[in-house]
Amino acid sequence: MPTSPSVASAPTSPVPVTRDRRADLIVTLVALALAVWVTSGLWRDPNGRAITVNSSDQALFEWLLAFGGHAVSHGDNPLYTYLINVPDGVNLAVNTSITVYAVVFAPLTYLIGPPATFLVILTLNLAATAVAWYWLLSRHLVRSPLAAAVGGLFIGFSPGMVSHANAHLNWTAGWLVPLLVWRVFALRRPGHWLRDGVILGLLVAVAFSIAAEGLFFTALALGLFVAVWALHPANRAEARAVLPSFLRGLAVTAVVAGALLAYPLWLHFAGPQRFHGTGFDPVIHSEDIAAYAAFPRRSLAGEAGLRTSLAPNPTEENSFFGWPLLVLTLCCFVLLWRRADPRRRATLWALGALAVVFSVLSFGPVAKVDGRRTDLPMPFDLLGHLPVVNAALPARLALVVTPVIGLLLAYAIDQLRQRPPRRPAAVAWILGFVAALLPLFPTPLLTSEREPIPRFITSGAWREYVSPGGVLTPVPLALDVYPDGQRWQAYALANRQGEFAIPSGFFLGPGGPDGRGRIGPVPRPFSALLDQAARTGLPPIVTAGTREDVRADLEHWRIETVVLPDEVHGAKWPVDEEALRRTLTMLLGEPERVEDVWLWRVREN
């Protein structure tokens, strides 16, 4: 009779498992169904709806898909562009460029458009994350398909994953993590270090090109797990035996990944338009201690009114496990510990260390409790100034805790099925799992109709008013809160209408305090005037000096045409189009009416 796997095994130790193809199919279909359920609001009209709470990030990723495909098909640099932020351009290597997705899905982007391709990737990300964790669990960690299914589906549709499904194509690519875990522990195999190192190096390069921050967190987590696991007295002999092969494989990984990522890494750390850190406040973007026991918004508990406002925004509910799940996880840990031999406890020690360390680091520089900032300094205050670490948002470190919980749930179910408790205890365990997981069942993302792209763009009429590669600007100028410019540009690129450049844009670049990054460029007078009118509905006072500043800005950006559509999308607040038209008329004179936009010719193309 084959022996059963145990929590003592490192995550990819070969264990005798019976592959249940029927269970594989069921889990895959359930994962796809849940992914479509979560994104169902967008599937109603992929090109006509947007994610309500994060339409700006959705517009950015749609633009990245369109630009990446266009760059590859035209032989341009996919990691640096002058199509936005004229004249300086944007270093996409320090942004979430999702280059691999943009290249692989380029044919689909050209066929169905950036918004629909975005939706396909988002849906597949969610489903693939659950399936990949199920595969790792069922093939290498547990005997029970039910245990693997519960663990995989929980991780794939955890509160943090559903929260980041609000337009984050990088963070929802959680399927990369179990693959990285699998290949890291494959390096222990003697005689295969060269091949395994090459495979891991390729995977690291792909992960960097889709979710660099997630890759960094995964590397930190794996490093801590391996260190704690290997230093445990029960595993030291095995660790010493596999260390030479492991180190050789890591060296090959570094060479392969380094060669593939040499140019992106140079751009990231030494290229033009680079920056250090981010423009986000680590205190604001840290996890509230109470958030671990809180319930997420997009869940049954949230729909029942148990949601909170402990996250900085709806896309950053990185923990939000709810107190029943925390209690259940603790009970699972105790159950496993009581049944564990020394080697099994070594793995539990390592998993416990991951959960504690990353939970504490997610609290950021100072602790917050139930929305109130304390004066209690946290370990991240010491680490947050280090290179690379200073570019990470501490709250997202809580995402590492999710797989730990998923693993403990799967291990516990596997143990309970191997050694079933008496009936009263079995009923209590079943009720405990239902009480902990049912409130977290995800509900669909909030979506709303998006403002249509003007006929002026979709018909190609813009080409009569802009020279090839010339500069056109929507008003207000494109930013995270005004994503129209990049939405229009994405449409033109994906439909092979040609290129027009825009000033400003939604990107991370230099110009923040203390040499740190910021969203978009440093504001200039023209963009500030339009922003004021769009927000307040009050046209500014225009003087001769104001007009001179505006002319200087238009020259700086080399703008040929200024365009105001009938409907402007404001990602955070409504936009007053009439105030914008009055402001532009005072600055640039009377406009032309072309198709469905107001247009001002700044200079002949």
Side-chain angles (χ1 to χ4, degrees):
M1 178 180 294
T3 59
S4 61
S6 72
V7 293
S9 303
T12 54
S13 295
V15 294
V17 292
T18 302
R19 297 184 179 182
D20 190 333
R21 300 298 186 186
R22 185 168 176 269
D24 294 349
L25 178 60
I26 291 174
V27 171
T28 300
L29 292 177
V30 169
L32 280 171
L34 284 172
V36 172
W37 164 251
V38 170
T39 58
S40 57
L42 292 175
W43 281 107
R44 290 166 51 192
D45 184 3
N47 291 305
R49 299 188 69 82
I51 294 172
T52 303
V53 301
N54 201 13
S55 60
S56 53
D57 275 10
Q58 181 177 347
L60 170 62
F61 281 109
E62 290 173 4
W63 179 87
L64 287 167
L65 291 170
F67 168 75
H70 174 82
V72 171
S73 62
H74 287 72
D76 296 335
N77 186 347
L79 295 176
Y80 202 96
T81 181
Y82 289 97
L83 288 179
I84 61 176
N85 194 36
V86 173
D88 299 316
V90 173
N91 183 341
L92 295 175
V94 293
N95 283 262
T96 52
S97 52
I98 57 167
T99 311
V100 169
Y101 277 163
V103 173
V104 171
F105 286 90
L108 190 64
T109 302
Y110 282 126
L111 180 64
I112 63 177
T117 303
F118 165 88
L119 176 55
V120 169
I121 296 174
L122 178 61
T123 305
L124 290 178
N125 267 352
L126 292 172
T129 299
V131 171
W133 277 106
Y134 163 79
W135 175 87
L136 180 67
L137 286 162
S138 64
R139 298 301 188 268
H140 299 282
L141 294 173
V142 297
R143 288 291 303 272
S144 165
L146 175 63
V150 171
L153 291 170
F154 166 73
I155 298 172
F157 296 94
S158 61
M161 189 64 65
V162 173
S163 173
H164 282 282
N166 284 296
H168 288 170
L169 292 188
N170 52 343
W171 280 107
T172 52
W175 55 269
L176 288 162
V177 178
L179 297 184
L180 288 165
V181 171
W182 170 47
R183 297 317 307 174
V184 164
F185 282 91
L187 297 179
R188 300 173 306 155
R189 300 188 302 172
H192 298 278
W193 56 270
L194 179 59
R195 184 186 67 179
D196 291 335
V198 170
I199 294 173
L200 181 58
L202 293 172
L203 186 58
V204 166
V206 170
F208 181 89
S209 301
I210 294 177
E213 190 177 356
L215 174 65
F216 177 56
F217 288 0
T218 303
L220 290 178
L222 281 170
L224 177 60
F225 179 91
V226 169
V228 175
W229 184 89
L231 291 174
H232 192 279
N235 293 324
R236 287 176 188 169
E238 180 183 350
R240 283 195 296 268
V242 302
L243 184 61
S245 178
F246 190 80
L247 292 179
R248 284 194 291 266
L250 279 183
V252 173
T253 297
V255 171
V256 172
L260 293 173
L261 297 174
Y263 177 64
L265 288 173
W266 174 81
L267 272 179
H268 194 284
F269 293 105
Q273 291 296 105
R274 67 188 183 279
F275 55 88
H276 301 287
T278 67
F280 299 98
D281 188 335
V283 175
I284 294 176
H285 290 273
S286 59
E287 203 73 349
D288 193 301
I289 293 175
Y292 278 82
F295 292 103
R297 305 179 208 206
R298 306 314 307 154
S299 67
L300 291 182
E303 292 294 328
L306 299 179
R307 59 188 177 273
T308 66
S309 299
L310 296 177
N313 58 65
T315 66
E316 297 291 342
E317 293 183 335
N318 297 295
S319 56
F320 289 78
F321 301 117
W323 64 264
L325 180 59
L326 296 184
V327 172
L328 176 65
T329 302
L330 181 60
C331 292
C332 291
F333 190 90
V334 172
L335 168 75
L336 294 166
W337 186 268
R338 292 178 62 183
R339 296 187 178 187
D341 59 28
R343 295 194 67 231
R344 294 176 179 179
R345 289 184 176 181
T347 297
L348 290 174
W349 269 116
L351 291 175
L354 275 185
V356 171
V357 169
F358 278 83
S359 294
V360 172
L361 288 176
S362 74
F363 299 152
V366 294
K368 294 185 295 185
V369 182
D370 200 23
R372 296 184 297 273
R373 177 176 173 175
T374 71
D375 294 326
L376 181 64
M378 291 281 105
F380 191 86
D381 190 38
L382 300 175
L383 302 177
H385 304 289
L386 298 176
V388 182
V389 178
N390 63 7
L393 299 184
R396 293 175 176 175
L397 290 162
L399 294 170
V400 174
V401 181
T402 296
V404 174
I405 293 176
L407 287 169
L408 291 175
L409 296 179
Y411 283 142
I413 293 174
D414 200 47
Q415 287 286 312
L416 290 169
R417 290 180 69 82
Q418 289 181 50
R419 295 166 55 186
R422 295 182 179 180
R423 184 175 180 83
V427 172
W429 277 107
I430 292 172
L431 293 177
F433 272 87
V434 171
L437 297 179
L438 185 60
L440 300 180
F441 188 84
T443 56
L445 304 175
L446 298 176
T447 62
S448 54
E449 289 187 18
R450 64 167 76 191
E451 287 76 4
I453 296 177
R455 291 192 309 274
F456 175 73
I457 298 294
T458 60
S459 67
W462 63 268
R463 288 175 292 197
E464 299 179 21
Y465 300 89
V466 186
S467 61
V471 183
L472 172 153
T473 185
V475 289
L477 273 67
L479 278 174
D480 59 323
V481 291
Y482 307 121
D484 279 347
Q486 279 169 278
R487 287 179 56 211
W488 299 358
Q489 198 178 68
Y491 182 93
L493 295 176
N495 286 273
R496 306 188 186 192
Q497 290 183 344
E499 297 180 353
F500 62 82
I502 60 173
S504 195
F506 181 15
F507 61 90
L508 292 177
D514 303 321
R516 299 172 70 85
R518 58 169 287 120
I519 296 176
V522 177
R524 296 177 68 94
F526 185 50
S527 59
L529 289 170
L530 296 176
D531 178 60
Q532 175 187 329
R535 288 177 186 244
T536 67
L538 300 174
I541 297 174
V542 175
T543 66
T546 304
R547 292 190 176 90
E548 189 172 327
D549 288 339
V550 168
R551 281 195 296 271
D553 287 346
L554 297 176
E555 284 293 322
H556 171 77
W557 285 316
R558 305 192 299 271
I559 291 175
E560 298 176 7
T561 304
V562 176
V563 177
L564 172 65
D566 291 335
E567 295 181 76
V568 176
H569 178 63
K572 303 298 181 183
W573 48 76
V575 172
D576 192 318
E577 292 88 358
E578 178 59 24
L580 284 169
R581 188 170 69 86
R582 289 164 57 194
T583 299
L584 286 165
T585 300
M586 288 189 291
L587 293 171
L588 305 177
E590 291 294 328
E592 302 176 44
R593 184 66 178 176
V594 180
E595 295 279 359
D596 53 349
V597 302
W598 297 102
L599 184 145
W600 289 262
R601 300 191 198 211
V602 177
R603 57 182 179 181
E604 295 296 328
N605 56 37

